[in-house]
């Protein structure tokens, strides 16, 4: 558990001092950044990854809402959401991969490939609960990252998405 430093201001008000972050806090923030953004700011990580990730590609097939198969090449380390956007494939991704929506919901068409994926994090499962047409092999495209094991994966794009800000949802005032 990290400790915070506070400075006292007048009338018993406290303000968090940003002058110093404890090492364990910095390590925690760094691990969160790496998890959600897929890269590191430390020199040692970048140096070791440079030789291994000279960016090979894997074939991926997206199956559109109307059944059209769209084969593409995806660089190792790229998310399926990014790959879809770079190839003009209709996969929304309203939150831009921040695990705050379910609009990049895809269906892994083969259980063999689904089993090769890391288990979804709780945050992903929470968003998948909101997805339209959820299946046993549903995942968020922003969380599937191209790796050699996924060579040949086929991903179906569901017939609809639930994007409350676009689909006419109007929040009620409190």
């Amino acid at each position: 558990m990290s400790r915070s430093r506070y400075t006292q201001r007048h009338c018993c008000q406290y303000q968090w001092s940003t002058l110093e972050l404890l090492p364990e806090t910095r390590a925690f923030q760094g691990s969160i950044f790496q998890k959600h953004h897929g890269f590191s700011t430390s020199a040692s990580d970048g140096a070791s990854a440079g030789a291994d990730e000279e960016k090979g590609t894997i074939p991926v097939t997206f199956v559109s809402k109307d059944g059209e198969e769209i084969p593409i090449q995806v660089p190792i380390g790229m998310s399926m959401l990014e790959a879809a956007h770079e190839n003009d494939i209709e996969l929304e991704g309203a939150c831009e991969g921040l695990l705050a929506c379910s609009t990049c919901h895809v269906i892994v068409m083969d259980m063999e490939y689904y089993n090769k994926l890391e288990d979804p994090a709780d945050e992903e499962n929470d968003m998948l609960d909101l997805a339209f047409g959820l299946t046993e092999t549903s995942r968020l495209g922003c969380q599937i990252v191209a790796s050699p094991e996924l060579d040949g994966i086929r991903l179906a794009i569901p017939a609809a998405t639930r994007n409350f800000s676009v689909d006419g949802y109007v929040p009620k005032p409190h």
Side-chain angles (χ1 to χ4, degrees), residues 21 26 40 78 82 84 96 102 115 123 147 152 154-155 166 171:
L21 288 177
R26 274 183 263 161
S40 171
M78 178 180 277
E82 291 173 295
E96 300 178 359
S102 63
N115 290 332
E123 296 89 351
S147 66
R154 294 169 39 86
L155 302 171
V166 172

Side-chain angles (χ1 to χ4, degrees), residues 20-57:
E20 179 181 327
L21 288 177
L22 297 173
E24 61 269 20
T25 304
R26 274 183 263 161
F28 174 75
Q29 287 176 334
S31 68
I32 294 297
F33 188 77
Q34 287 175 1
K35 176 181 176 187
H36 292 290
H37 297 285
F39 62 92
S40 171
T41 57
S42 68
S44 62
D45 287 346
S48 65
D52 295 333
E53 293 189 31
E54 287 295 296
K55 296 295 182 195
T57 62

Side-chain angles (χ1 to χ4, degrees), residues 36 59 98 106 117 134:
H36 292 290
L98 297 176
V106 294
L117 298 171
L134 192 64

Side-chain angles (χ1 to χ4, degrees):
M1 182 158 181
S2 65
R3 297 162 291 192
S4 300
R5 293 187 181 200
Y6 293 90
T7 56
Q8 186 173 7
R9 295 175 15 169
H10 61 51
C11 298
C12 300
Q13 293 178 356
Y14 290 87
Q15 176 181 354
W16 182 59
S17 172
T18 57
L19 296 175
E20 179 181 327
L21 288 177
L22 297 173
E24 61 269 20
T25 304
R26 274 183 263 161
F28 174 75
Q29 287 176 334
S31 68
I32 294 297
F33 188 77
Q34 287 175 1
K35 176 181 176 187
H36 292 290
H37 297 285
F39 62 92
S40 171
T41 57
S42 68
S44 62
D45 287 346
S48 65
D52 295 333
E53 293 189 31
E54 287 295 296
K55 296 295 182 195
T57 62
I58 60 167
V60 173
T61 302
F62 281 91
V63 179
S64 71
K65 299 170 187 178
D66 59 1
E68 177 189 359
E69 293 194 6
I70 307 163
I72 62 172
Q73 290 293 316
V74 180
I76 302 295
M78 178 180 277
S79 77
M80 295 301 136
L81 174 62
E82 291 173 295
H85 287 177
E86 284 194 2
N87 289 277
D88 297 322
I89 295 172
E90 233 179 278
L91 186 60
E92 189 172 341
C95 75
E96 300 178 359
L98 297 176
L99 276 174
C101 74
S102 63
T103 60
C104 67
H105 169 219
V106 294
I107 300 166
V108 180
M109 297 182 72
D110 187 342
M111 186 61 88
E112 177 187 338
Y113 284 104
Y114 181 82
N115 290 332
K116 292 178 181 182
L117 298 171
E118 291 184 27
D119 290 337
D122 290 341
E123 296 89 351
E124 182 179 0
N125 280 327
D126 290 344
M127 291 298 110
L128 283 170
D129 287 342
L130 304 173
F132 178 85
L134 192 64
T135 70
E136 272 187 39
T137 59
S138 289
R139 293 297 298 266
L140 296 180
C142 64
Q143 299 302 300
I144 301 175
V145 177
S147 66
E149 301 82 37
L150 299 180
D151 187 314
I153 192 170
R154 294 169 39 86
L155 302 171
I157 299 172
T161 64
R162 287 195 176 131
N163 184 348
F164 295 126
S165 63
V166 172
D167 295 337
Y169 174 76
V170 178
K172 295 180 183 177
H174 297 286

